[in-house]
Amino acid sequence: MLDNKISEIKNSFTADIKSVSSSKDIEDIRIKYFSRNGLIAQLFEKLKDASKEDKPELGKKLNLLRNDLTLQFDTVKDKIILSDTSKENIIDLTLPGNEFVIGSKHLLTQTLDEIKSIFKGLGFSVAGGPELESDYYNFESLNFPADHPARDMQDTFFISKDFLLRTHTTPVQIRLMEKQAPPVRAIMPGRVYRNEAVSARSYCMFHQVDGIYVDTDVTFAELKGTLISFAKQFYGANLKYRFRPSFFPFTEPSAEMDITCYLCHGKGCKICKNTGWLEILGCGMVDPNVFKYVNYDSEKYTGYAFGMGIERIALLKYGLTDIRIFFDNDLRFLKQF
Amino acid sequence: MKISLNWLKEYIDLSNISTDEIISHLTMSGLEVEDVVDQNKIYQKFIVGLVKETEKHPNADKLSVCKVFDGKNELQVICGAPNVQAGQKVVFAPIGTLIPNGDFEIKKAKIRGIESHGMICAEDELLLSDDHSGIMVLDEKNIVGEKISEVLNLNDVIFEIAITPNRPDALSHIGVARDLAAIFNRELKMPKIMLDEKGDNIAALASVEVEDIKNCPRYVAKVVTGVQIKESPLWLKKKLENIGLRPINNIVDITNFILHETGQPLHAFDLDRLNDKKIVVKSTKSETTFVTLDAKERKLPSNTLMICDSKKEVAIAGVMGGENSEITSSTKNILIESAYFNPSSIRKTSKSLGLSTDASYRFERGTDPNITKFAAERAAQLISELADGKVAKGMIDVYPEVILPKEIKLRFSRTSKILGYDIPSEKIKTILSRLGLALKVVDDDTLLVSVPTFRPDIEREIDLIEEIVRINGYDNIPTVTKINISLEEKSDETAFAEQLRQAATSLGFFEMINNPLQSEQQAKLSGNAIRIANPLSADMEYLRTSLLPGALITVAKNIRQGVKDLKLFEIGDVFNKNNDLEIKNFADFSEDQKMILVITGNNNLKSWNASETKSDFYHIKGYVDSFIKKISLDNVLIDSYYSSVNQIYAYHYTKSFKNLVIGIGGKVNSDVLKKFDIHQDVYCFEFDLTLIRLLEFKPKHYKEPLKYPKVVRDFAFIFDKSVRYLDVKNFIINKSSDLLKDVKVFDIFENEALGIDKKSIAFTLEFFDENRTLTEDEVEKDFSNLIMLISKEFNAKLRGN
Ligand SMILES: [Zn+2]
């Protein structure tokens, strides 16, 4: 009796599976044969009534049937679902995904981050100071005598007789040394102001990083080595550079560091005024007069200091030509970095 | 400053040293050569041409068609100069010549239909002067085809050198030659004075009185009589022209020549125009006006150092002479002034007049008081030679306190300690001697160095060390490959701002950097703005008091560019006056670090499967809260809400710690937006980072995730519209047991079915206990109690019942 039922189901399944054309048909077959009350389950139910001696044989047959039909069903189901064209199952994988905007730090901040991380690796702390400064910190204590032509080097915005917008981040060196005894090793990033007409090459404010290291055995040779290490980390190991004498009231001896022009690679062009070199920073040994202002013994301690403009460095690094682009805050610019 | 290589060679033998070597050594020892004009290269192709015939251009009135003979061929050349004539010898630029002014190359060209095979040049095209009135006509004696560089003696190399303010000694040819002498270890040759004083005794001809000795420590005068004012000889004109100066007459040219030779500015007075033939040096007692020799009337403040005669002012000391005593074509007798003025006095005068001259530039940097005599004598000698004058016997030299060379000790050991390497002591001695310093050996380690007065910048041992290392060459500093890093505590004051930037960018915000210099209207929007005494322009006259105006400028700019959906932030300092007094110390103002978040337009990207949502108040509030959570300040700040319009906001709220407002934000009111030309809603929030930094941040601690299940229950009530969410929420928290851990709103709506002035608010309540599983009963008890209490307190109706 059960045997008959088995072949009956087999036949009807074979017919049903052949006529399958949609996932709806598949679902119908699943319900008809494989659900909790489906035909196969009903047969297993009937197994209870079979005689003890028939049971093992019939059980085996039923299992065979189930495995066989399941295999056929799964094969057809996979095919149907893959090729199903009925509307409710269309998925166009080619449509764009839902994008989210990740913001970004300003290119100048990113450039500063890079500079900071290099100097942190060289043992420097990071310090800050006010932008609205006193004449004392910005000039006097940095060995710019009143009425000295050295003051012409930095066009200044004055707030009052004794206060001004700092023209460099160097005053933070004094503030730092006032606060602590040597050793002092820190960089000082910040915003500075110059009373210069706005153009592609200059803006009334920009950013600098100053650095200072004071201890018992700090030398000019170490200054050179440290800055070469910085420049190679920042611009690449194959960098060509030179140091040449310069003048800053707060360092003696003083130097400027040049690197090979990125545009002409040293042959000479408009950007580098035909010299093949681009100046990237100023530096030198801390002038003993500066130590006097912070009560450091200049016989015992020596120190070096350096300073660089972040805009200039970013312009060089990213091949930009107009400094104003940094302060336009055009999203089409900001988004690129 | 322009320096001529040929001129330099009069003071130092530079044979066997290439021009390139000279340039690079000057730059590498501190006299930066910024530009080089090599005349040999520039004028290489220009030749003498002969104009054989000219005729009018058939198609252009002002042009001529010329036949020019270049020594080999006759060429057709179009010329536009009015003075071109047959028979002239001219400067001819054949095809392929690069014209130095404008950097263009001469090519075969058709001008108005007629071919031209070259160009006849004017002086300005050759960079010889700015004369463009006509072509340059050469002496007939010149041979056709010869190189112009030969004919006009254009074989010099001109350096443009940037002299740093500490090097007044290098502002002359002798000064630069002295550095070269040290660099190449060669001898500096000073010119010799050969003076034949045939005139009367100077005491009979003139007198000098210096009243202000402090500002004029030395005044030397020489007199030359019977001079003839005329054009200078070619060699002198050439020298001046090559360094960009226009020759005027023999006397003026001589004073200019000596200034550029020695660095000592001279002034020549017409002796007969000085009352009582007397010079008095004194400072003005009150404001005066004075007409300088450029015919300009200038206002002089009191206390300006002046050169006077017995009755009137005749020159602004160290800056410029007066019209009333200048040399004219009829001048016969001359008084030459060669003085040393106090640098800061001259600088003050030059600044207050806004007038910088070759003389004031040098005096304010510091000239050499002890070269004045040499310069005066050299001038007298040249005047007698070039202007046929008779030099008066002797000189007037008012020099009551002689300025002596400084003596400075130099230790070789200190040199090594500063530099980090040893320079041999013999090398050090050579360098210093070549720079003109006198040396005395004190002991094995010490030199006593006598520094002549032409080096006012060398005052201390460290200044000598700089001289040594700069001449020895920075390239010779060994490159260290190791440094010591001390293990003292390191800190980073920018770390907090950095953390905030990270949080803001992760929320999708872009960082802007705005100009803190603003217009009065912008800066005074929200504070007591500080004015800049010397602003660049009215729109940059004040310092910002808030980051909002800058942000709005940026928003407006981007909208104009078509970018209307913006999420921006900035971290920066703002400035406020603390009182209405002039700023005299740090207590008179405050500088605070702020951070602003600003949003406008759509808050999300429009997409095929999601419509856009407009940024609104709840977005900015949400960003602020996410932000606060990121920096661990959630649960310690209190919000206060203000729904009425103020001068910045349509409505706003603040975040405070105890009574300290650490942030404020909301919807910017439309009046403000209009001022910035913005026509869409803008929401912002500004944090005071200076205050936030003062708060104590609790260190983060790990909290174990909940081990027992949460029980979540929802209910919704119909309230009067005036009921505020926060009041209900706080009521729920107050009235429930400790088991209630969180209350959230998940739906709000209004419709007609609810009734007029009604709204539905649905809440999710979360109950749990960290130490056990809750029973249904205890949650149910709390929950049903709350329903009863809310209904009563707010006259609300539970929905779904
Ligand atoms: Zn270049």
Side-chain angles (χ1 to χ4, degrees), chain B residues 638-686:
Chain B
I638 294 158
D639 293 355
S640 312
Y641 300 93
Y642 307 88
S643 53
S644 54
V645 179
N646 73 7
Q647 80 188 77
I648 298 171
Y649 297 105
Y651 46 79
H652 71 282
Y653 81 118
T654 61
K655 283 200 171 283
S656 334
F657 181 82
K658 291 173 185 156
N659 289 325
L660 218 54
V661 176
I662 59 95
I664 181 166
K667 182 181 182 183
V668 182
N669 82 38
S670 52
D671 284 350
V672 170
L673 293 180
K674 250 180 244 160
K675 279 178 198 152
F676 289 87
D677 198 25
I678 297 171
H679 307 282
Q680 62 185 53
D681 292 348
V682 176
Y683 302 86
C684 70
F685 197 90
E686 192 171 33

Side-chain angles (χ1 to χ4, degrees), chain B residues 254-269:
Chain B
I254 286 166
T255 59
N256 276 335
F257 168 78
I258 288 172
L259 179 139
H260 289 278
E261 177 181 62
T262 64
Q264 172 63 41
L266 301 177
H267 188 67
F269 292 101

Side-chain angles (χ1 to χ4, degrees), chain A residues 40-56:
Chain A
I40 293 170
Q42 285 173 29
L43 281 188
F44 274 97
E45 193 65 26
K46 290 206 172 111
L47 195 58
K48 284 185 204 157
D49 308 331
S51 63
K52 240 186 191 167
E53 48 277 22
D54 289 344
K55 246 185 198 169

